[in-house]
Amino acid sequence: MQAKEQFSCGIVIVAAGRGERAGSLRDGPKQYRPIGGRPVITHTLDVFATWPREKRIVVVIHPDDETLFDDARSQVSGDTSSITFTHGGPTRQLSVFAGLKALEKSGISHVMIHDAVRPFIDHALLDRCFLALAEGSDAVLPAIAVADTLKRGSPDGKVVETVSRTGLFGAQTPQCFRFLPILDAHANAAASGRSDFTDDASIAEWAGLPVTLVEGLADNVKLTIKRDIAMADEKLSRNRLPDVRTGNGYDVHQLVEGDGVTLCGIFIPHDQKLLGHSDADVALHALTDALLATCGAGDIGDHFPPSDPQWKGAASRIFLEHAARIVRDNGGTIMNADISLIAEAPKVGPHRLAMRENLAAMLGISLDRCSVKATTNEKIGFVGRREGIAAIATATVVYAGDGK
Ligand code: MG
């Protein structure tokens, strides 16, 4: 038992491959293809970054992929400060060796080596591997007992024999090792001209290290061909929460003597008018703020400063349509808009349908998604004294993506 030794874990994520089997090169390397709205490798890094143990992560990438990698790393939800990268070599084996060498000076006692294109690992699997290392294993291999009946075939497509599957396992990653022995094994393999090992447990076996099996994870599949990536995307999309966002807005304008007010773009003759730099349509101003709020785009004053003379007397439709365009440019679909007007007068009821039709036209959505309501303020406060009109608005927008 070596459980008492200082345990510090390095993680090597192998991501230097070109992934030719996963489709045309035009689509880019498979570890950077999107599944569930984010690159494959981002999902993989998420699991390690959120694993609550001290670790240093080195990602081995192709020299051409630095931009792709930076973008993928920026989308990781966990702490990314422990994630660095190094360049890989021409084979998987040499890429792992480069990753191990990048960790050589960090003083780690153990290392986990994982394929970037296995994004469905979980913390329970990492814990099983960790436990086996902590109990003193030199090398740990997560694996799944082979379930299919195995056949040996001949070159002309005939079954030669049925191979007993007893004692046969499919190897997965992360494959985990005491650091110095696997670094030595890799150095010796490279020095002796071997560069064709397809996993690290094989190198450990070649170097005479005992390899301990731990239970793998059925979901921990390697995304190899284009169809694997499509299936992974479908699986994540099924579980994805819709990115529904709600924004609210509030506005007040002062009433003074005049000939009418404009609400939701409808002019209503009245013995007062609303004061404001633009047409003072409180309803559309509140809704403009509600829409901007769904994508963190500030408020109406940021986009249309009252100090700017070009908005003097402007129709507020311009403001609302601008906000709707920002929402759409951010990938949003407006689901509904709801405005409550708070005014003693004029009466809104007779104009409500025309107001809703205006909203539907300005937002490009159906009439049943647009609502206008009105209430008095029971003669209380500034609204009750007819000193002003207030409006409260709510907008719901569904955005593309998975809400991260
Ligand atoms: Mg206003």
Side-chain angles (χ1 to χ4, degrees), residues 142-183:
I144 295 276
V146 171
D148 292 332
T149 298
L150 298 175
K151 306 288 182 186
R152 191 183 312 282
S154 64
D156 61 345
K158 298 283 190 300
V159 170
V160 175
E161 62 169 338
T162 297
V163 180
S164 168
R165 66 187 177 207
T166 308
L168 289 185
F169 290 86
Q172 300 188 338
T173 70
Q175 298 182 359
C176 313
F177 307 91
R178 284 163 57 77
F179 182 69
L180 289 177
I182 194 67
L183 178 65

Side-chain angles (χ1 to χ4, degrees), residues 251-253 278 280-282 285-286 300:
D251 197 25
V252 175
H253 279 259
S278 64
D281 190 330
V282 281
H285 295 185
I300 190 170

Side-chain angles (χ1 to χ4, degrees), residues 33-38 40 43 120 223 226-240:
R33 304 258 180 92
I35 54 171
R38 294 187 302 156
V40 169
H43 295 273
F120 297 120
L223 308 184
K226 199 166 188 168
R227 182 177 152 73
D228 297 337
I229 294 181
M231 283 174 71
D233 185 43
E234 205 180 295
K235 171 178 169 159
L236 289 171
S237 301
R238 265 202 308 275
N239 299 334
R240 195 189 305 175

Side-chain angles (χ1 to χ4, degrees), residues 335-352:
M335 305 312 287
N336 84 307
D338 180 26
I339 296 172
S340 290
L341 284 160
I342 308 147
E344 292 302 318
K347 280 209 177 313
V348 167
H351 308 284
R352 179 189 278 180

